[in-house]
């Protein structure tokens, strides 16, 4: 029972982080474009990526909250975090 509660809390915390991140990116798309350009995203993809990334973060957050989609949401969240970490390491 304790494991179920811990995983639920972890899913909620990660979902909250993704909601904040996605919402912040959606509310300031100019800054999001600048950030993505700084990470090496090509000019032709900036507008699409500036909308797709925050929307994907919000979808993953929703998946983490829904019990039926939590497993897929966890894998998607892991993929996002690995991608972010890899891009940051590459740029450093």
């Amino acid at each position: 029972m304790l494991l179920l509660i811990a995983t639920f809390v972890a899913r909620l915390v990660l979902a909250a982080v993704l909601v904040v991140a996605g919402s912040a990116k959606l509310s300031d798309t100019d800054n999001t474009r600048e950030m993505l350009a700084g990470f090496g995203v090509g000019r032709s993809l900036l507008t699409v990526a500036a909308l797709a990334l925050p929307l994907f973060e919000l979808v993953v957050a929703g998946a983490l909250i829904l019990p039926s989609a939590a497993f897929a949401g966890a894998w998607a969240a892991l993929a996002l975090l690995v991608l972010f970490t890899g891009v940051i390491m590459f740029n450093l």
Side-chain angles (χ1 to χ4, degrees):
M1 181 67 167
L2 183 60
L3 183 61
L4 288 175
I5 294 170
T7 57
F8 181 70
V9 170
R11 286 177 17 219
L12 285 181
V13 169
L14 184 54
V17 169
L18 290 171
V19 165
V20 169
S23 299
K25 286 180 186 84
L26 276 179
S27 69
D28 190 2
T29 55
D30 292 334
N31 194 22
T32 302
R33 277 191 210 98
E34 280 183 41
M35 179 261 312
L36 290 170
F39 281 120
V41 175
R43 290 180 55 94
S44 61
L45 295 176
L46 281 178
T47 301
V48 173
L51 291 174
L53 177 61
L55 290 176
F56 188 66
E57 287 175 337
L58 293 172
V59 167
V60 171
L64 286 169
I65 293 171
L66 296 172
S68 60
F71 187 75
W75 279 107
L78 177 64
L80 268 176
L81 294 174
V82 167
L83 176 70
F84 293 159
T85 302
V87 169
I88 290 168
M89 287 174 51
F90 178 78
N91 282 291
L92 288 177

